[in-house]
Amino acid sequence: MSTLPIQTLDSGDLQDRVARFQKVHEQIVTQVHRVIVGQEEVIDQVMVALFVGGHCLITGLPGTAKTLLVRTLATILGLDFKRIQFTPDLMPSDITGTDIIEEEPGTGRRTWTFVAGPIFANVLLADEINRTPPKTQSALLEAMQELSCTVRGHQYKIEAPFFVLATQNPIELEGTYPLPEAQLDRFLFNTVLDYLSAEDEVKVVDLTTTTRSAQPDTVTNATEILGFQQLVRMVPIAESVSRYAVELVRATRPNDANAPDFVKNYVNFGASVRAAQFVVLASKARALLRNRYHVAYEDVRALAAPILRHRILLNFHAESERLDSDAILKRLLEWKPEPK
């Protein structure tokens, strides 16, 4: 069994990389706010997903700037951007690409040629992902986990960084297809994009109903983003904080001996091991984004809801009492406060 070598840096190089990370983060947020008003929590979670190398599911009502946010981020990051509008008649090959037969003009010889689909990008916007059948949704599974795509038995690599930012509409559920649990588990966050405050909505109207058009600037590139992802993984985390994150995730499983009674009463299936990995990784990114060089309990608690809300399946008792996953997670965080 072989292991990858652990990257080591001297203190001077490390400080320079951290300083550059924080500067780029500030520039990204500044550029985003030239186009997007408010939504600080959503932007923060998307930024964490970016620096972790995870994917993000954005749930929001129509007209809340979901698509605009993703397109703006792709421009700022200097990444190749593709968009797929998911519809009921979309086929898996419309996402992955397909082989076609081409004939050479001179010889008449026919050969198979692979025509890449929109999945071969750095930032993929899967718009209204729940409007296509599971067969087509599953075309993203391999790419999201393995950074590869298999077509007719041939495997094609997708260049890193690769982010799937999927949107879904929580209303108009007629004719939609809920994402299967296996695919939901591959999303780092389920970010909820809500209505703006009255003041922010006035700013949006003032910004978008004139002849001015805000254009964000590019502030980084793919190579630098990959370096930032490695930097995030180097952030230290205390064993006690890591254990707290694991215990919080395990407490969502009704068959766990230490799970609280309300979880056993209302939850059918809890979060996976991948959820615990994501909680720790995302907490590292959040700490670094806040100019801290270690993970705190507050990082774990702040990110627990968006990481776990799409990973716990509630039973009919919860539905009958109109409890959703956010209500269960709120009770869970109250039941398990951070250690003193």
Side-chain angles (χ1 to χ4, degrees):
M1 179 179 177
S2 62
T3 57
L4 295 174
I6 298 174
Q7 185 179 14
T8 57
L9 297 171
D10 61 47
S11 58
D13 289 341
L14 195 57
Q15 288 178 352
D16 291 342
R17 288 182 62 177
V18 170
R20 175 61 183 167
F21 174 90
Q22 292 168 350
K23 181 180 179 181
V24 168
H25 169 239
E26 292 174 1
Q27 291 175 335
I28 291 173
V29 172
T30 299
Q31 293 300 320
V32 168
H33 281 307
R34 291 178 64 179
V35 181
I36 304 295
V37 177
Q39 305 293 4
E40 279 79 8
E41 185 177 356
V42 175
I43 294 170
D44 187 54
Q45 290 174 13
V46 173
M47 293 296 297
V48 169
L50 165 72
F51 292 128
V52 166
H55 310 288
C56 199
L57 179 64
I58 304 175
T59 303
L61 297 167
T64 49
K66 300 186 296 295
T67 304
L68 179 62
L69 172 62
V70 177
R71 188 184 297 275
T72 300
L73 273 172
T75 301
I76 294 168
L77 300 172
L79 299 177
D80 183 27
F81 171 76
K82 296 286 178 63
R83 177 180 182 271
I84 305 172
Q85 181 64 53
F86 280 74
T87 56
D89 60 347
L90 195 73
M91 298 297 291
S93 58
D94 296 327
I95 298 174
T96 62
T98 188
D99 286 320
I100 62 172
I101 297 177
E102 287 191 334
E103 186 176 297
E104 295 180 3
T107 63
R109 182 187 174 195
R110 295 180 177 181
T111 57
W112 287 101
T113 301
F114 178 65
V115 179
I119 202 171
F120 291 90
N122 297 128
V123 178
L124 179 66
L125 171 59
D127 212 358
E128 295 196 273
I129 191 173
N130 59 334
R131 296 205 175 273
T132 201
K135 177 182 178 180
T136 304
Q137 292 173 3
S138 64
L140 291 173
L141 285 175
E142 182 184 358
M144 292 172 70
Q145 187 65 28
E146 308 294 340
L147 280 183
S148 64
C149 173
T150 302
V151 178
R152 290 185 65 250
H154 296 93
Q155 189 177 66
Y156 302 92
K157 296 299 293 181
I158 297 174
E159 293 296 322
F162 177 66
F163 307 103
V164 174
L165 295 163
T167 69
Q168 64 178 3
N169 185 346
I171 60 174
E172 298 176 359
L173 298 180
E174 297 279 341
T176 60
Y177 305 85
L179 270 67
E181 284 69 29
Q183 183 150 5
L184 282 173
D185 197 46
R186 282 167 170 78
F187 285 102
L188 169 61
F189 287 129
N190 181 3
T191 300
V192 176
L193 204 130
D194 206 351
Y195 287 124
L196 295 170
S197 66
E199 289 300 318
D200 284 342
E201 201 160 341
V202 169
K203 292 178 183 177
V204 170
V205 172
D206 291 341
L207 186 67
T208 58
T209 57
T210 65
T211 56
R212 294 174 299 172
S213 178
Q215 296 296 327
D217 299 325
T218 301
V219 300
T220 185
N221 55 59
T223 302
E224 192 169 49
I225 290 171
L226 292 174
F228 290 154
Q229 291 176 1
Q230 291 300 314
L231 184 66
V232 164
R233 288 177 173 269
M234 298 167 65
V235 174
I237 179 170
E239 192 272 341
S240 58
V241 180
S242 180
R243 182 172 294 276
Y244 176 79
V246 171
E247 290 175 351
L248 195 62
V249 171
R250 291 181 64 87
T252 65
R253 304 168 189 165
N255 60 349
D256 190 272
N258 297 320
D261 289 339
F262 61 85
V263 167
K264 295 178 180 179
N265 291 336
Y266 297 126
V267 177
N268 263 346
F269 298 99
S272 65
V273 177
R274 186 187 281 124
Q277 295 172 314
F278 278 159
V279 168
V280 171
L281 267 177
S283 297
K284 288 185 175 186
R286 186 180 186 273
L288 204 56
L289 289 173
R290 281 157 178 73
N291 301 332
R292 284 188 278 106
Y293 307 117
H294 66 280
V295 179
Y297 290 110
E298 68 171 272
D299 298 314
V300 174
R301 294 176 62 82
L303 298 176
I307 292 176
L308 299 177
R309 63 163 57 105
H310 56 296
R311 290 186 163 88
I312 60 175
L313 298 180
L314 305 184
N315 57 28
F316 70 93
H317 294 296
E319 293 179 7
S320 66
E321 297 187 29
R322 297 187 177 182
L323 292 173
D324 59 12
S325 56
D326 281 350
I328 299 297
L329 291 171
K330 182 180 178 182
R331 290 180 64 176
L332 186 64
L333 289 171
E334 293 172 352
W335 172 82
K336 192 170 183 62
E338 63 181 72
K340 298 296 183 183

